[in-house]
Amino acid sequence: MSGIYIHIPFCKQACHYCDFHFSTSLKKKDEMVLALAKEIRLRKSEFENDPSESEQAKQTVGTIYFGGGTPSILAVSDLQLLIDEVYNNYNVSENPEITMEANPDDLSEVRIIELSQTKINRLSIGIQSFFEEDLKLMNRAHNSAEAKKSLEIATKYFDNISVDLIYGTPGMNNERWLQNIQTVLDLNIPHISSYALTVEPKTALQKFIQQGVVPQPDDAVTHEQFLMLVDTLETNGFVHYELSNFGKPDYFSKNNSAYWLGKKYLGIGPSAHSYDGKNRSWNIANNSIYIKSLAENKLPNETETLTETDRYNEYIMTGLRTVWGVSLDRIATEFGENMLQYLLQNAKRYLDDEKLIVENNILRTTKKGKFFCDGIASDLFWLNLEE
């Protein structure tokens, strides 16, 4: 089962930490929606089934995900048009997960009711923090009152809701961080995605830190707040199923889980990435060129064929971030016994240090090692498998 990601490249304003592709100008919004619809139609052949495939292997769209940018900036009619295009051109499963990322300031009760009457059945709400000082530092478009109100209303109409929170923010003490987590728990939200504040190149946050306006995030505080997050959520019945994601049973993100498990997906829209199991492609990150290309029935993308090295390294990276880990049997089958020995040899110091563990022939990060899993993965990478 595969997924379709639709990138909506518009925001009301630029968050200081964000390096995703978006525009704060909505002048080309209508043209963009039509271009997205056309790309959905043009790429349906990529999901056509081989007549020789078994019924089990046939490609079915199991998830549709509106990301961005800020998808909630679109009218409900725009979202419905794009959903209809998917249904009209693809084989969609009977009960697909259809997620829309949303900002609290877009979620009035009227809007939430309208969304609940569409096929959208999951909301991912970008709260980030319930404190004004944090929201101002991030340059979020909403305030604390809007954050709480949006969730109070959304829970009346949607069962499947995810909330984004950011930790490690300069000035956020541990007490405030725990209050952020507790506010979400009190509202019975079943899924939380939580990320450390990262200083990305060429963002406003990087500039402010260089100028001394904002202090550099403290790594020790960030690590401490991560551990507090894990302990609090696991105590409250959440499963830490991916480094940045926590879900109650039956509420894991099906869309994101498919990425981490190496399933195929289409990325629609400027800057969106796609994966077919062997090749990765990405659309141009330019709204004007994207719209112009689609008007000419052209797909403005580039493609690379993944080498064996790429596939091995990606599996190590995604596997160690998740509860599913890295299958040693799969490593031996797909990459050979020599690669398995290479992996185990390089993993030994982390196994000895109890940051990695092998159970049932699955290599996983321990609670102690989870925060460091990206660094651990990079130490297990192979750089010249083809040589």
Side-chain angles (χ1 to χ4, degrees):
M1 190 174 292
S2 305
I4 295 181
Y5 170 85
I6 304 174
H7 187 78
I8 308 301
F10 300 109
C11 289
K12 290 180 181 176
Q13 62 192 48
C15 297
H16 288 159
Y17 57 85
C18 182
D19 69 342
F20 291 165
H21 171 68
F22 66 91
S23 170
T24 54
S25 171
L26 298 181
K27 291 180 181 179
K28 296 185 177 182
K29 179 182 75 67
D30 292 342
E31 293 176 82
M32 178 61 69
V33 171
L34 293 176
L36 293 170
K38 179 173 279 191
E39 186 184 0
I40 290 171
R41 293 194 299 273
L42 289 177
R43 298 186 68 185
K44 66 180 180 180
S45 63
E46 296 179 37
F47 266 40
E48 289 179 353
N49 291 302
D50 184 335
S52 65
E53 287 183 320
S54 66
E55 286 300 317
Q56 186 177 4
K58 288 186 182 299
Q59 294 217 53
T60 303
V61 174
T63 65
I64 303 171
Y65 191 101
F66 290 96
T70 310
S72 56
I73 211 166
L74 294 186
V76 171
S77 58
D78 293 329
L79 295 163
Q80 188 60 59
L81 183 152
L82 296 172
I83 292 172
D84 288 344
E85 286 292 346
V86 174
Y87 270 80
N88 291 337
N89 291 280
Y90 298 79
N91 180 27
V92 181
S93 66
E94 185 175 349
N95 296 300
E97 175 191 88
I98 304 182
T99 303
M100 185 190 75
E101 292 181 354
N103 279 355
D105 46 299
D106 294 324
L107 295 179
S108 65
E109 184 158 14
V110 171
R111 188 74 188 287
I112 290 173
I113 291 173
E114 289 178 342
L115 290 168
S116 71
Q117 294 169 346
T118 70
K119 284 185 167 65
I120 294 169
N121 51 29
R122 184 175 185 269
L123 295 180
S124 177
I125 304 176
I127 299 294
Q128 315 310 352
S129 176
F130 292 99
F131 291 91
E132 296 296 345
E133 49 266 59
D134 300 327
L135 297 172
K136 289 178 180 178
L137 183 148
M138 298 176 198
N139 199 39
R140 295 292 291 170
H142 67 275
N143 58 41
S144 176
E146 288 173 322
K148 294 176 183 176
K149 188 66 174 177
S150 69
L151 290 177
E152 290 169 358
I153 298 171
T155 53
K156 296 178 183 178
Y157 300 95
F158 284 85
D159 169 63
N160 199 348
I161 297 174
S162 179
V163 163
D164 285 357
L165 294 176
I166 292 180
Y167 58 92
T169 306
M172 178 192 285
N173 58 33
N174 290 347
E175 180 181 358
R176 209 157 80 210
W177 175 231
L178 282 175
Q179 287 182 50
N180 272 331
I181 301 170
Q182 191 60 49
T183 300
V184 177
L185 293 175
D186 290 343
L187 289 163
N188 294 315
I189 304 298
H191 189 279
I192 295 175
S193 295
S194 192
Y195 308 90
L197 183 69
T198 304
V199 184
E200 301 291 352
K202 300 180 181 180
T203 58
L205 178 60
Q206 184 191 53
K207 182 178 180 181
F208 294 151
I209 290 175
Q210 291 172 341
Q211 293 173 341
V213 177
V214 175
Q216 181 81 26
D218 186 310
D219 289 344
V221 171
T222 298
H223 186 206
E224 186 176 6
Q225 291 179 355
F226 172 79
L227 295 177
M228 293 167 63
L229 172 73
V230 174
D231 288 342
T232 304
L233 293 185
E234 288 186 341
T235 298
N236 283 273
F238 284 78
V239 178
H240 188 194
Y241 71 103
E242 194 271 342
L243 177 62
S244 302
N245 287 271
F246 304 77
K248 291 285 184 71
D250 299 323
Y251 286 96
F252 295 2
S253 168
K254 294 179 182 178
N255 177 82
N256 292 348
S257 295
Y259 294 160
W260 303 319
L261 292 171
K263 295 184 179 180
K264 300 177 183 180
Y265 59 89
L266 283 185
I268 304 294
S271 79
H273 286 232
S274 303
Y275 176 65
D276 67 4
K278 296 180 180 178
N279 304 290
R280 194 172 303 285
S281 64
W282 56 94
N283 288 343
I284 191 167
N286 181 296
N287 288 2
S288 296
I289 296 176
Y290 174 83
I291 291 170
K292 182 176 183 296
S293 297
L294 268 299
E296 298 170 354
N297 295 318
K298 298 177 182 177
L299 296 175
N301 60 21
E302 297 181 49
T303 301
E304 69 167 341
T305 299
L306 299 182
T307 65
E308 195 172 20
T309 298
D310 294 331
R311 290 189 290 106
Y312 168 83
N313 289 344
E314 285 194 11
Y315 180 48
I316 296 298
M317 174 63 77
T318 55
L320 291 185
R321 288 180 65 99
T322 70
V323 70
W324 301 289
V326 174
S327 166
L328 300 184
D329 291 335
R330 178 177 169 182
I331 293 292
T333 300
E334 291 191 20
F335 305 103
E337 187 65 28
N338 288 341
M339 183 49 56
L340 173 61
Q341 295 307 314
Y342 170 87
L343 171 61
L344 292 175
Q345 179 181 345
N346 283 275
K348 186 177 185 305
R349 63 187 178 109
Y350 294 111
L351 291 164
D352 293 342
D353 196 31
E354 298 182 340
K355 290 181 178 177
L356 291 177
I357 190 172
V358 174
E359 293 179 326
N360 299 318
N361 232 24
I362 301 292
L363 180 70
R364 294 188 179 92
T365 50
T366 62
K367 187 173 183 178
K368 177 181 177 182
K370 183 69 75 175
F371 184 75
F372 307 100
C373 67
D374 287 347
I376 294 172
S378 68
D379 285 345
L380 305 183
F381 286 171
W382 181 258
L383 302 180
N384 59 345
L385 196 60
E386 309 300 312
E387 298 177 8

